[in-house]
Amino acid sequence: MMNTQNDNAAIVPRLRKIIHVDMDAFYASVEQRDNPEYREKPLVVGGMPQGRGGVVATASYEARKFGIRSAMPSKQALQLCPHALFVRPRFDVYKDVSHKIREIFSRYTDLIEPLSLDEAYLDVTNDKLNIGSALEIAKQIKQAISDELQLTASAGVSINKFVAKIASDMNKPNGLKFIGPSSIEAFMETLPVEKFHGVGKVTASKMKKMGLHTGADLKRLTEDELVRNFGKTGRFYYKIVRGIDERAVQPYRETKSLAAEDTFARDLLTQEEMEDELNRIAGLVHKRLQKNDLKGRTITLKIKYNDFKQITRSQSYPLPVSDLETIVQTARQLLLSTSPEGKPTRLLGISLSNFRDPDSASLPEKASIQLSLF
């Protein structure tokens, strides 16, 4: 006789146990750990505010109280907090610390998907130590990072990547948040639309104009209505507001491109203005390349004019590059090829791609990255 109860149980999918770990103000925390004179002071890691000025890579929590944020021009950061301390990044040190953090993760699982030096997803559905509780594993990871590296991390725990990532950001710094399967849908309904990862300022503004302020508002729309208003991403919104995210933790994913772009408050009209902006954007790309230990063979310039016409120009090299000078000079040459003078320009962007050296063995694969300033 067929055991119907057992057969039905067999087809119920097992829920994943996902942890998202995000280091707290990573670069700044490492600097404060290594330099006692920086502790409990507003610290900015990134370019110096003097001269042309650089860009903020990260800021300590003491600096964030003044409104200083990542990707902000260093000159603006100095205006917000005149007594802030500015230090240049030490990427070799951050990479070394990141490797040690990864080693702590690997004690519990091999399913680790790094998003950057300071952030990763872990699938602990079947953990190596047979602990069984994702919440307990997250606690142990946080404690190990504190004991062994004298740093703090925030962690989110849930049954999928999207909710775990949101959870990790809720109680920063040094936070830990668990959102269980029975409370996910109600939680998503109360979430403001701008808190949905993947919803930028432009999309959030559009949603609010439509009267969509929370997940509950989004939930009232059908999938077709969401697709009609937001394109293919609408299908993602339809699922995620119901707590559905079927993406697996992927230890190895190929990087397609790394980019930074900026839409300007007013159109740029002269080549000099455009080159100044390209210098700044190239600096951001360079820092992101260093942060993720990447080099690319193709540099692409993206231009959008005030009539919304968009063009791209690319230059490829026989070997991968990542140095700032090459990125800046190539972007300028590509700009010059478009005869830019007098063409009102509303957006500029620089990207690197082709991260594999054609003459070498396959490189470790990493998650794709896109950085937009606005």
Side-chain angles (χ1 to χ4, degrees), residues 26-271:
F26 183 49
Y27 300 168
S29 295
V30 172
E31 296 299 337
Q32 289 180 318
R33 180 197 68 177
D34 295 347
N35 301 279
E37 66 272 23
Y38 296 156
R39 294 173 191 170
E40 299 181 1
K41 294 182 180 178
L43 180 69
V44 176
V45 180
M48 298 296 103
Q50 294 79 19
R52 287 181 174 270
V55 175
V56 175
T58 195
S60 69
Y61 283 95
E62 294 86 354
R64 295 182 187 191
K65 292 177 182 177
F66 293 88
I68 298 174
R69 296 289 182 268
S70 298
M72 174 182 290
S74 298
K75 287 184 176 180
Q76 183 181 351
L78 184 62
Q79 291 173 350
L80 291 172
C81 182
H83 62 285
L85 302 174
F86 288 78
V87 297
R88 295 190 181 279
R90 297 182 297 155
F91 287 104
D92 55 337
V93 175
Y94 309 148
K95 290 174 187 175
D96 180 63
V97 175
S98 181
H99 288 315
K100 292 174 181 176
I101 295 169
R102 195 79 48 82
E103 190 277 325
I104 292 173
F105 294 162
S106 67
R107 298 171 193 171
Y108 300 90
T109 181
D110 291 326
L111 295 178
I112 303 166
E113 181 180 335
L115 303 178
S116 62
L117 292 180
D118 60 344
E119 184 181 5
Y121 289 112
L122 287 70
D123 186 328
V124 295
T125 309
N126 300 296
D127 67 279
K128 290 181 178 179
L129 303 181
N130 294 316
I131 295 171
S133 167
L135 187 59
E136 176 60 29
I137 293 171
K139 289 178 181 177
Q140 291 189 19
I141 287 173
K142 280 169 50 64
Q143 192 62 51
I145 290 172
S146 176
D147 292 344
E148 298 173 30
L149 302 174
Q150 294 77 55
L151 296 169
T152 65
S154 293
V157 181
S158 194
I159 61 171
N160 62 49
K161 292 165 71 172
F162 188 91
V163 181
K165 185 173 177 66
I166 290 175
S168 70
D169 196 44
M170 292 187 66
N171 296 321
K172 273 184 164 289
N174 200 22
L176 176 60
K177 177 68 175 179
F178 169 68
I179 302 177
S182 63
S183 58
I184 285 178
E185 198 161 347
F187 170 78
M188 297 303 291
E189 289 178 356
T190 63
L191 199 68
V193 292
E194 60 267 24
K195 292 291 185 182
F196 280 69
H197 293 286
V199 175
K201 289 183 178 180
V202 174
T203 302
S205 177
K206 179 179 179 180
M207 287 180 174
K208 290 179 179 179
K209 288 177 181 177
M210 295 172 60
L212 306 174
H213 298 276
T214 66
D217 296 328
L218 282 176
K219 202 172 180 180
R220 288 198 293 267
L221 299 185
T222 66
E223 185 173 2
D224 286 344
E225 288 173 326
L226 287 168
V227 170
R228 190 159 57 246
N229 285 283
F230 304 104
K232 293 180 180 178
T233 313
R235 292 191 177 91
F236 174 73
Y237 297 150
Y238 181 82
K239 286 186 175 182
I240 209 60
V241 78
R242 291 164 173 78
I244 302 169
D245 181 8
E246 299 162 348
R247 296 173 300 157
V249 171
Q250 300 180 13
Y252 304 106
R253 293 198 306 170
E254 183 179 3
T255 303
K256 298 299 183 182
S257 66
L258 184 152
E261 62 183 38
D262 195 355
T263 301
F264 310 111
R266 64 172 184 83
D267 294 338
L268 306 181
L269 297 175
T270 69
Q271 181 177 331

Side-chain angles (χ1 to χ4, degrees), residues 274-335:
M274 297 175 200
E275 289 182 348
D276 284 345
E277 293 297 339
L278 284 179
N279 290 345
R280 183 172 61 84
I281 295 169
L284 273 175
V285 172
H286 176 245
K287 287 180 173 64
R288 298 285 290 187
L289 289 168
Q290 288 183 312
K291 177 179 178 179
N292 293 278
D293 196 19
L294 291 170
K295 294 183 177 183
R297 291 192 302 112
T298 300
I299 297 174
T300 300
L301 172 69
K302 175 181 175 181
I303 304 175
K304 184 180 289 185
Y305 299 111
N306 68 340
D307 61 358
F308 291 90
K309 177 184 178 183
Q310 181 174 302
I311 66 169
T312 59
R313 296 289 185 269
S314 297
Q315 170 70 50
S316 293
Y317 292 90
L319 294 174
V321 299
S322 65
D323 62 288
L324 181 58
E325 183 177 357
T326 299
I327 297 171
V328 169
Q329 293 302 322
T330 303
R332 286 184 172 187
Q333 290 171 6
L334 294 171
L335 176 68

